[in-house]
Amino acid sequence: MARFRDLRIKSGYSQEEFRKLYNEKYNRNYTSAAISMIEHEKRMPELGALIDFADFYDVSIDYLLGRESDDDELQISQQLRAIVGKLMTLKNEAVEEDNSSEIQENMEMLRCLLQQSEVLAKRVEKEKDNSWYKY
């Protein structure tokens, strides 16, 4: 469970900053001592909190628990989220600047491609019986 600490540090948060953000976002009441105990493997968070931790860091629960060791899987998930975020930003900018049908058509095509990619990824993962994507 040292990954809790590693993820916090990679995210650039102090323990206190993380605690405040996490508690506010998920309506929790974790103390600094509780976070420290989790990071030092002296306490295991409850299942609901574990799900929230995974969501906060955009990783799978298996990754948090050390069951996934390949950082490439984490990077792929983060890259997909970044791509989707950039596309949404581009779409919003394009809509504000110009409502041309060509832009709308291209954005719709990209949206459909991303949906098909997600379907394909889920099929592949069912065959492999492990997850590398997190939505």
Short mmCIF file of all heavy atoms in Angstrom, two decimals, residues 75-101:
data_model
loop_
_atom_site.label_atom_id
_atom_site.label_comp_id
_atom_site.label_asym_id
_atom_site.label_seq_id
_atom_site.Cartn_x
_atom_site.Cartn_y
_atom_site.Cartn_z
N GLN A 75 -0.39 4.62 -17.24
CA GLN A 75 -0.12 5.68 -18.21
C GLN A 75 -1.13 5.68 -19.35
O GLN A 75 -1.55 6.73 -19.81
CB GLN A 75 1.30 5.55 -18.76
CG GLN A 75 2.36 5.87 -17.73
CD GLN A 75 3.76 5.58 -18.22
OE1 GLN A 75 3.95 5.07 -19.30
NE2 GLN A 75 4.74 5.93 -17.40
N ILE A 76 -1.54 4.51 -19.81
CA ILE A 76 -2.52 4.43 -20.89
C ILE A 76 -3.83 5.07 -20.44
O ILE A 76 -4.42 5.86 -21.16
CB ILE A 76 -2.75 2.97 -21.34
CG1 ILE A 76 -1.51 2.47 -22.08
CG2 ILE A 76 -3.97 2.87 -22.24
CD1 ILE A 76 -1.52 0.98 -22.37
N SER A 77 -4.28 4.75 -19.24
CA SER A 77 -5.53 5.32 -18.72
C SER A 77 -5.42 6.83 -18.63
O SER A 77 -6.34 7.55 -19.02
CB SER A 77 -5.83 4.72 -17.35
OG SER A 77 -6.97 5.32 -16.79
N GLN A 78 -4.31 7.32 -18.11
CA GLN A 78 -4.12 8.76 -17.98
C GLN A 78 -4.03 9.43 -19.34
O GLN A 78 -4.58 10.52 -19.54
CB GLN A 78 -2.87 9.05 -17.15
CG GLN A 78 -3.04 8.69 -15.69
CD GLN A 78 -1.76 8.80 -14.90
OE1 GLN A 78 -0.67 8.75 -15.45
NE2 GLN A 78 -1.89 8.95 -13.59
N GLN A 79 -3.39 8.79 -20.31
CA GLN A 79 -3.30 9.34 -21.64
C GLN A 79 -4.66 9.42 -22.31
O GLN A 79 -4.98 10.41 -22.96
CB GLN A 79 -2.34 8.51 -22.51
CG GLN A 79 -0.89 8.68 -22.12
CD GLN A 79 0.01 7.67 -22.81
OE1 GLN A 79 -0.45 6.74 -23.45
NE2 GLN A 79 1.31 7.87 -22.66
N LEU A 80 -5.49 8.38 -22.14
CA LEU A 80 -6.83 8.41 -22.70
C LEU A 80 -7.66 9.55 -22.11
O LEU A 80 -8.36 10.25 -22.82
CB LEU A 80 -7.54 7.07 -22.48
CG LEU A 80 -7.08 5.91 -23.34
CD1 LEU A 80 -7.76 4.62 -22.89
CD2 LEU A 80 -7.40 6.18 -24.81
N ARG A 81 -7.57 9.74 -20.81
CA ARG A 81 -8.30 10.83 -20.17
C ARG A 81 -7.81 12.19 -20.69
O ARG A 81 -8.61 13.09 -20.91
CB ARG A 81 -8.15 10.78 -18.66
CG ARG A 81 -9.04 9.76 -18.01
CD ARG A 81 -8.99 9.94 -16.50
NE ARG A 81 -9.90 9.04 -15.88
CZ ARG A 81 -11.16 9.33 -15.58
NH1 ARG A 81 -11.64 10.50 -15.89
NH2 ARG A 81 -11.94 8.46 -15.00
N ALA A 82 -6.50 12.33 -20.87
CA ALA A 82 -5.95 13.58 -21.39
C ALA A 82 -6.45 13.86 -22.80
O ALA A 82 -6.82 14.99 -23.14
CB ALA A 82 -4.43 13.54 -21.35
N ILE A 83 -6.49 12.83 -23.63
CA ILE A 83 -6.97 12.99 -25.01
C ILE A 83 -8.43 13.42 -25.02
O ILE A 83 -8.81 14.36 -25.73
CB ILE A 83 -6.78 11.69 -25.81
CG1 ILE A 83 -5.29 11.45 -26.08
CG2 ILE A 83 -7.56 11.73 -27.12
CD1 ILE A 83 -4.98 10.06 -26.61
N VAL A 84 -9.24 12.76 -24.22
CA VAL A 84 -10.66 13.10 -24.16
C VAL A 84 -10.82 14.54 -23.65
O VAL A 84 -11.62 15.31 -24.19
CB VAL A 84 -11.44 12.11 -23.27
CG1 VAL A 84 -12.85 12.60 -23.00
CG2 VAL A 84 -11.46 10.73 -23.92
N GLY A 85 -10.05 14.91 -22.65
CA GLY A 85 -10.12 16.28 -22.13
C GLY A 85 -9.76 17.32 -23.17
O GLY A 85 -10.42 18.35 -23.31
N LYS A 86 -8.70 17.05 -23.93
CA LYS A 86 -8.29 17.98 -24.99
C LYS A 86 -9.35 18.07 -26.07
O LYS A 86 -9.63 19.17 -26.58
CB LYS A 86 -6.96 17.53 -25.60
CG LYS A 86 -5.78 17.78 -24.69
CD LYS A 86 -4.49 17.27 -25.31
CE LYS A 86 -3.34 17.42 -24.35
NZ LYS A 86 -2.10 16.85 -24.88
N LEU A 87 -9.95 16.94 -26.43
CA LEU A 87 -11.01 16.96 -27.44
C LEU A 87 -12.20 17.79 -26.98
O LEU A 87 -12.77 18.55 -27.77
CB LEU A 87 -11.45 15.54 -27.79
CG LEU A 87 -10.49 14.74 -28.64
CD1 LEU A 87 -10.97 13.30 -28.77
CD2 LEU A 87 -10.33 15.35 -30.02
N MET A 88 -12.56 17.64 -25.73
CA MET A 88 -13.69 18.42 -25.23
C MET A 88 -13.37 19.90 -25.21
O MET A 88 -14.22 20.74 -25.54
CB MET A 88 -14.10 17.94 -23.82
CG MET A 88 -14.66 16.52 -23.81
SD MET A 88 -15.98 16.23 -25.02
CE MET A 88 -17.25 17.28 -24.38
N THR A 89 -12.14 20.25 -24.87
CA THR A 89 -11.72 21.66 -24.89
C THR A 89 -11.77 22.20 -26.31
O THR A 89 -12.29 23.30 -26.55
CB THR A 89 -10.29 21.80 -24.33
OG1 THR A 89 -10.28 21.31 -22.98
CG2 THR A 89 -9.84 23.25 -24.33
N LEU A 90 -11.25 21.43 -27.25
CA LEU A 90 -11.27 21.85 -28.66
C LEU A 90 -12.70 22.01 -29.15
O LEU A 90 -13.01 22.96 -29.87
CB LEU A 90 -10.53 20.83 -29.53
CG LEU A 90 -9.02 20.81 -29.41
CD1 LEU A 90 -8.44 19.66 -30.22
CD2 LEU A 90 -8.42 22.12 -29.88
N LYS A 91 -13.56 21.09 -28.75
CA LYS A 91 -14.95 21.16 -29.17
C LYS A 91 -15.59 22.44 -28.64
O LYS A 91 -16.26 23.16 -29.37
CB LYS A 91 -15.73 19.95 -28.68
CG LYS A 91 -17.21 20.01 -29.03
CD LYS A 91 -17.97 18.86 -28.43
CE LYS A 91 -19.45 19.01 -28.73
NZ LYS A 91 -20.26 18.06 -28.01
N ASN A 92 -15.38 22.72 -27.37
CA ASN A 92 -15.97 23.92 -26.77
C ASN A 92 -15.45 25.19 -27.44
O ASN A 92 -16.20 26.12 -27.69
CB ASN A 92 -15.71 23.95 -25.26
CG ASN A 92 -16.45 22.85 -24.54
OD1 ASN A 92 -17.44 22.33 -25.03
ND2 ASN A 92 -15.96 22.48 -23.37
N GLU A 93 -14.14 25.23 -27.72
CA GLU A 93 -13.56 26.39 -28.39
C GLU A 93 -14.12 26.53 -29.80
O GLU A 93 -14.44 27.63 -30.24
CB GLU A 93 -12.04 26.27 -28.44
CG GLU A 93 -11.38 26.44 -27.10
CD GLU A 93 -9.88 26.14 -27.13
OE1 GLU A 93 -9.35 25.82 -28.21
OE2 GLU A 93 -9.25 26.23 -26.06
N ALA A 94 -14.25 25.41 -30.50
CA ALA A 94 -14.76 25.45 -31.87
C ALA A 94 -16.21 25.92 -31.90
O ALA A 94 -16.60 26.69 -32.77
CB ALA A 94 -14.64 24.07 -32.52
N VAL A 95 -16.99 25.47 -30.94
CA VAL A 95 -18.39 25.87 -30.90
C VAL A 95 -18.51 27.37 -30.61
O VAL A 95 -19.33 28.06 -31.20
CB VAL A 95 -19.16 25.04 -29.84
CG1 VAL A 95 -20.53 25.63 -29.57
CG2 VAL A 95 -19.28 23.60 -30.31
N GLU A 96 -17.65 27.88 -29.72
CA GLU A 96 -17.68 29.30 -29.40
C GLU A 96 -17.27 30.15 -30.60
O GLU A 96 -17.81 31.22 -30.83
CB GLU A 96 -16.76 29.60 -28.22
CG GLU A 96 -17.29 29.08 -26.90
CD GLU A 96 -16.28 29.23 -25.78
OE1 GLU A 96 -15.24 29.88 -25.99
OE2 GLU A 96 -16.54 28.71 -24.69
N GLU A 97 -16.27 29.68 -31.36
CA GLU A 97 -15.75 30.45 -32.48
C GLU A 97 -16.61 30.32 -33.74
O GLU A 97 -16.85 31.30 -34.42
CB GLU A 97 -14.32 29.99 -32.81
CG GLU A 97 -13.32 30.34 -31.73
CD GLU A 97 -11.94 29.79 -32.04
OE1 GLU A 97 -11.70 29.36 -33.18
OE2 GLU A 97 -11.11 29.79 -31.13
N ASP A 98 -17.03 29.13 -34.04
CA ASP A 98 -17.69 28.91 -35.33
C ASP A 98 -18.57 27.67 -35.23
O ASP A 98 -18.12 26.63 -34.79
CB ASP A 98 -16.61 28.70 -36.40
CG ASP A 98 -17.18 28.57 -37.79
OD1 ASP A 98 -18.41 28.50 -37.94
OD2 ASP A 98 -16.39 28.54 -38.73
N ASN A 99 -19.78 27.76 -35.66
CA ASN A 99 -20.70 26.63 -35.62
C ASN A 99 -20.73 25.88 -36.94
O ASN A 99 -21.74 25.32 -37.32
CB ASN A 99 -22.11 27.11 -35.28
CG ASN A 99 -22.47 26.81 -33.85
OD1 ASN A 99 -21.84 25.98 -33.21
ND2 ASN A 99 -23.47 27.50 -33.35
N SER A 100 -19.63 25.85 -37.65
CA SER A 100 -19.62 25.23 -38.97
C SER A 100 -19.94 23.74 -38.87
O SER A 100 -19.58 23.06 -37.92
CB SER A 100 -18.28 25.43 -39.66
OG SER A 100 -17.33 24.58 -39.09
N SER A 101 -20.63 23.24 -39.87
CA SER A 101 -21.03 21.83 -39.87
C SER A 101 -19.83 20.91 -39.98
O SER A 101 -19.85 19.79 -39.48
CB SER A 101 -22.02 21.57 -41.00
OG SER A 101 -21.41 21.85 -42.25
#
